[in-house]
Amino acid sequence: MFRRIGNVVVRHPVWTIVAWLIAAVAIVATAPSLPSSSDESSFLPKSYESIKAADLQAKAFPSAFTPSAIALYQRTDGGKLTAADQQDVVRITKELGDKHIDQVQKVVPGRPSQDGRYTMTLVQMDSKNAGQPKQADAAKVLRDDVKQLVKGTDLEVKLGGSAAQALDQQDSSKRGEALIGIGTFVIILVTLLIIFRAPILAVLPLFLIGLVSAIANGLIAYATKLFDLQANSSISSILIVVLFGVGTDYFLFLMFRYRERLRAGDEPKQAMINAVARVGEAIASAAGAVIIAFFALVLSTLGFLKQMGPALAIAVTVTLLAALTLIPAVVSLIGPKVFWPSKSWQREPENARFAALGRGVERRPALTAAVSGLVLVALSLGTLGFNATFDLAAGSMPKTKESMVVQDEMQKAYSAGAAAPTDVYLSSTDGKPLDKGTFDAYAKKLGAVDGVANARMTQVNKAGTTADFTVTLKYEASTDKALSAVGKVRDVAHADAPDGTKALVGGMSSIYKDIDAAVNHDYRTVFPVAALLIMLILGLLLRSVVAPWYLIASVGLGFGATLGATVWIFQEAQGKSGLMFMLPVIMYLFVVAIGTDYNILMIARLREEAREGREPREAAGMALRHAGPTVAAAGFILAATFATMMLAGNALLTEMGFAVSFGIAVAAFVMAMFFTPSLTALIGHAAWWPGHADRAEPAALSGAGHPDALPVSGDSRDAVGQDSAGRRG
């Protein structure tokens, strides 16, 4: 199949390129815009209690005041607010309301802090558009207007709240995307220049993957709208890295094999056909593992991850198609001039370092497997200290952003939970009005819960069937203590609800509590499903039942080592309370799926060497010698491109950038180069049971290539002129 694909695109390169250009223009011109939401509640399905509580609030208290923006005032000299200052705040609040800013429904004064140094203006917006870009636009207008109105007074003001956080997230995301994009381009360009010393080869993948990126983003926008998926601004930054990092990996896989075929004496066009035929299965299998793992995120209960999975799967699918069609077509048009001005492509390098590593694996596979395995196990011990944090807003932008400064100052000036109180909605089950005589006792029970600062009944709906009890926690909404406290509030609210009533607990801490439960569900569902599907891909590729088990175990160890190292560096060494809650799921998929790419490439080359008549240990050594440079180059580029996410300046992308880049480095330089080949050498022919995929074929031994054997069973030219040291002519 892959030989036929290579034949078609190389024999008709112009038509192949034209087809891609037409597809790009059509998709980009007609794709819908991709909205983004920063509302954490939209990440959860409606079956969770916090979402049921939010729906009940919308029905029972449609005009309830829930601030979307908070203007926080203090004196410029840091002293206590005077009567004149208070009058200025009242005036500013009224003038803000009179401006009738889009999305703004109500502007009211808030209460001063206990120390008298702070006071607030509370702004309510249309709850239907919570977290949407139009509310971020409203926050921008509010921020500009309130700072203009405060001029000439002794006050300074900052705007916080969810709408302001959405605005700051947008700004932070744009800056982060620019830095990530520039960093990715520079790393790929410089690394390819060093590897090939050919400017055309260094620039070519950037242009081609840029075209692929435009098509992928258009298709993702279509899928998001068609299936009503939840978009998030962080996905754009991840997509840049996935498209260019993975795309460059597949480009390298193909170009290394194309160069080998040219060195073997193939005519240029035939060299590309042979390259696609012989590395196509490895690329397709590697991409298939990534695509299936990403699609496993559809099983997630979180809207953010449910949308990320298909988006990344679409991106990798388009990249795979480009690797098998667009890249071969373009390179076949250019021919060997693509390597200009370097002449090194004309001769086989000795690869002395990788040859030495290969000999080490060949001679001492047990020691190699033990040492590399112990390193992975030791790093994995750090996972025992993992703790999750749930404040996505704080995690997706720097602490210096204005909305984050407001959040920190409010925690100091007011009760830590005042910025995001918890609401307990008590409703009658028979539709009759509630007995108001039970309210005081119920509020006292809620207020007596450990971790609660105070609790009071604040409002009853017109029908008298639902009452809202506002519970202020002692802790900031996303902390472990707040999640523990809201769990206790739920227990008391449910157990002590008067006869004929039921209680639902809402608010941000309740949402975070449910997100925690949803993530734990994903651990139990997404992880095993992704692993089983990847094992299926490996089994089909290798025609083996044994090999997939130890290959998936090795990448599982790589995941543990990655999470452990991330915990030690970001949580223990930096004294953070925890890592972002979604990090292990994302890390698992990237490290397991993409890490499998390098295992596939190495094990495929090992099988090829075995098919040429070599014993398992010798085949492992030769595989490392010849596939090692490709794995090293691809692993370095992909790890370095993911590391650019650390330039974004926010906790989520910094932690994710380090974790995934570290995991890919472990996958490439520990698992694929040492652990996997040494284990395969130790297991020997049994690794391929029940098939005999490693057995030498008569055609291979006689030097007659088998055109359809993949990845390269017909690469018999590699056996020609090979001396006892394994050097190829």
Side-chain angles (χ1 to χ4, degrees):
M1 182 182 76
F2 295 100
R3 180 170 292 277
R4 288 195 293 271
I5 292 172
N7 258 313
V8 170
V9 300
V10 171
R11 302 303 179 195
H12 306 284
V14 175
W15 286 112
T16 302
I17 296 167
V18 168
W20 273 91
L21 291 173
I22 291 172
V25 171
I27 291 171
V28 172
T30 59
S33 60
L34 188 62
S36 178
S37 175
S38 60
D39 180 14
E40 282 90 343
S41 65
S42 64
F43 297 163
L44 288 167
K46 294 186 180 297
S47 58
Y48 282 86
E49 180 170 352
S50 58
I51 307 304
K52 290 180 179 178
D55 291 342
L56 176 60
Q57 179 200 26
K59 293 174 184 176
F61 307 103
S63 59
F65 190 91
T66 304
S68 299
I70 300 170
L72 185 66
Y73 306 89
Q74 67 180 123
R75 285 185 59 84
T76 53
D77 60 10
K80 289 188 176 182
L81 299 171
T82 64
D85 295 330
Q86 296 281 10
Q87 289 177 356
D88 284 330
V89 171
V90 171
R91 173 186 58 80
I92 292 168
T93 301
K94 182 178 183 306
E95 291 184 20
L96 269 182
D98 291 343
K99 288 181 178 291
H100 302 293
I101 298 167
D102 180 47
Q103 294 296 305
V104 173
Q105 296 178 329
K106 192 183 296 183
V107 183
V108 299
R111 61 186 178 86
S113 61
Q114 288 186 348
D115 61 8
R117 297 177 185 276
Y118 294 88
T119 192
M120 300 180 289
T121 292
L122 306 177
V123 181
Q124 182 181 13
M125 295 187 187
D126 187 351
S127 60
K128 295 178 182 177
N129 297 317
Q132 297 301 320
K134 58 179 66 178
Q135 293 207 348
D137 295 340
K140 188 177 189 321
V141 176
L142 276 169
R143 184 173 281 171
D144 292 340
D145 286 353
V146 75
K147 289 187 176 180
Q148 192 66 35
L149 291 170
V150 88
K151 287 183 177 178
T153 71
D154 294 324
L155 299 170
E156 63 179 12
V157 64
K158 300 181 187 74
L159 192 75
S162 59
Q165 288 176 355
L167 172 63
D168 290 340
Q169 273 183 299
Q170 280 184 6
D171 294 341
S172 181
S173 177
K174 289 176 183 176
R175 176 182 174 275
E177 280 183 37
L179 289 171
I180 289 169
I182 294 169
T184 299
F185 270 62
V186 170
I187 286 168
I188 292 173
L189 188 65
V190 171
T191 307
L192 290 179
L193 277 172
I194 292 171
I195 292 171
F196 293 106
R197 285 166 277 177
I200 297 175
L201 259 183
V203 173
L204 188 60
L206 297 176
F207 279 110
L208 296 181
I209 299 168
L211 177 65
V212 170
S213 176
I215 294 173
N217 276 294
L219 292 176
I220 289 166
Y222 273 120
T224 301
K225 186 173 182 180
L226 181 63
F227 298 105
D228 194 27
L229 299 172
Q230 179 63 55
N232 184 273
S233 56
S234 297
I235 291 177
S236 299
S237 301
I238 299 169
L239 272 175
I240 292 171
V241 176
V242 169
L243 282 164
F244 282 92
V246 173
T248 304
D249 264 14
Y250 299 159
F251 179 82
L252 282 172
F253 291 176
L254 187 65
M255 292 311 300
F256 270 99
R257 187 50 65 105
Y258 176 57
R259 188 173 65 178
E260 280 191 22
R261 296 308 307 159
L262 288 173
R263 286 169 176 166
D266 286 2
E267 180 270 330
K269 286 188 180 296
Q270 190 61 42
M272 181 54 73
I273 293 171
N274 289 339
V276 173
R278 293 169 176 173
V279 83
E281 187 182 27
I283 292 175
S285 300
V290 177
I291 291 164
I292 283 178
F294 287 158
F295 262 124
L297 281 177
V298 172
L299 300 174
S300 171
T301 49
L302 293 173
F304 170 71
L305 295 176
K306 194 184 286 285
Q307 194 270 345
M308 178 187 283
L312 296 177
I314 289 169
V316 176
T317 301
V318 178
T319 305
L320 168 63
L321 293 175
L324 296 177
T325 59
L326 179 61
I327 293 173
V330 172
V331 174
S332 67
L333 272 182
I334 301 171
K337 291 179 182 177
V338 76
F339 297 105
W340 178 89
S342 173
K343 303 288 186 183
S344 62
W345 67 271
Q346 297 174 349
R347 60 187 181 276
E348 182 77 23
E350 293 186 13
N351 289 342
R353 291 181 182 176
F354 289 97
L357 291 174
R359 287 192 296 271
V361 170
E362 181 180 345
R363 292 169 185 167
R364 299 180 181 85
L367 179 63
T368 304
V371 171
S372 54
L374 283 173
V375 169
L376 296 175
V377 170
L379 288 172
S380 298
L381 294 176
T383 60
L384 300 175
F386 172 75
N387 190 47
T389 57
F390 298 89
D391 190 351
L392 191 59
S396 58
M397 68 182 110
K399 287 286 187 182
T400 53
K401 284 291 186 180
E402 187 169 327
S403 58
M404 292 294 96
V405 174
V406 170
Q407 180 173 290
D408 290 343
E409 289 185 352
M410 283 192 66
Q411 289 178 32
K412 296 172 185 175
Y414 297 83
S415 168
T422 295
D423 289 285
V424 177
Y425 299 101
L426 190 67
S427 301
S428 64
T429 54
D430 55 9
K432 296 179 180 179
L434 296 168
D435 179 4
K436 294 182 180 180
T438 64
F439 288 174
D440 286 344
Y442 190 62
K444 284 181 181 178
K445 289 178 181 178
L446 294 174
V449 173
D450 184 30
V452 172
N454 60 75
R456 56 195 174 89
M457 200 286 292
T458 51
Q459 56 184 333
V460 180
N461 68 337
K462 291 182 179 179
T465 54
T466 301
D468 176 10
F469 293 80
T470 299
V471 179
T472 304
L473 302 179
K474 296 178 180 178
Y475 318 108
E476 193 274 321
S478 65
T479 60
D480 288 340
K481 290 182 177 180
L483 267 62
S484 175
V486 84
K488 295 173 185 175
V489 168
R490 282 183 176 182
D491 292 341
V492 170
H494 297 158
D496 292 332
D499 292 339
T501 69
K502 66 175 181 179
L504 290 173
V505 180
M508 288 311 303
S509 292
S510 185
I511 289 172
Y512 293 140
K513 182 76 173 175
D514 286 340
I515 288 177
D516 188 22
V519 170
N520 288 331
H521 166 271
D522 290 351
Y523 291 160
R524 297 189 299 271
T525 307
V526 177
F527 282 24
V529 168
L532 286 172
L533 291 174
I534 291 172
M535 285 180 66
L536 180 62
I537 290 279
L538 290 170
L540 292 173
L541 168 68
L542 303 174
R543 284 84 169 174
S544 166
V545 173
V546 176
W549 284 98
Y550 69 83
L551 290 177
I552 203 70
S554 72
V555 292
L557 270 177
F559 163 75
T562 303
L563 181 57
T566 307
V567 167
W568 275 331
I569 290 173
F570 286 91
Q571 191 175 306
E572 304 296 339
Q574 297 186 16
K576 291 185 177 180
S577 60
L579 305 176
M580 288 304 297
F581 67 91
M582 66 183 71
L583 189 65
V585 176
I586 295 171
M587 187 192 306
Y588 176 82
L589 292 166
F590 277 106
V591 173
V592 171
I594 296 178
T596 301
D597 282 11
Y598 305 125
N599 267 345
I600 286 173
L601 192 68
M602 185 61 73
I603 205 77
R605 188 65 187 234
L606 192 153
R607 180 179 67 176
E608 172 190 345
E609 300 294 343
R611 281 179 171 178
E612 290 182 0
R614 296 182 176 88
E615 286 302 308
R617 292 194 179 196
E618 184 188 2
M622 293 302 295
L624 180 54
R625 181 185 191 277
H626 295 292
T630 308
V631 170
F636 173 79
I637 287 179
L638 192 59
T641 51
F642 271 102
T644 61
M645 294 170 67
M646 298 174 70
L647 300 173
N650 67 65
L652 174 60
L653 292 180
T654 298
E655 292 171 5
M656 193 185 302
F658 170 82
V660 177
S661 61
F662 183 87
I664 288 168
V666 167
F669 296 101
V670 179
M671 289 190 300
M673 284 197 188
F674 299 106
F675 195 61
T676 298
S678 60
L679 274 181
T680 306
L682 284 172
I683 297 170
H685 295 298
W688 309 95
W689 185 87
H692 302 286
D694 66 325
R695 300 297 186 182
E697 297 179 2
L701 290 173
S702 65
H706 190 291
D708 293 321
L710 296 175
V712 271
S713 62
D715 232 353
S716 55
R717 59 88 185 95
D718 284 335
V720 179
Q722 194 167 13
D723 61 24
S724 60
R727 180 173 174 177
R728 301 190 176 194

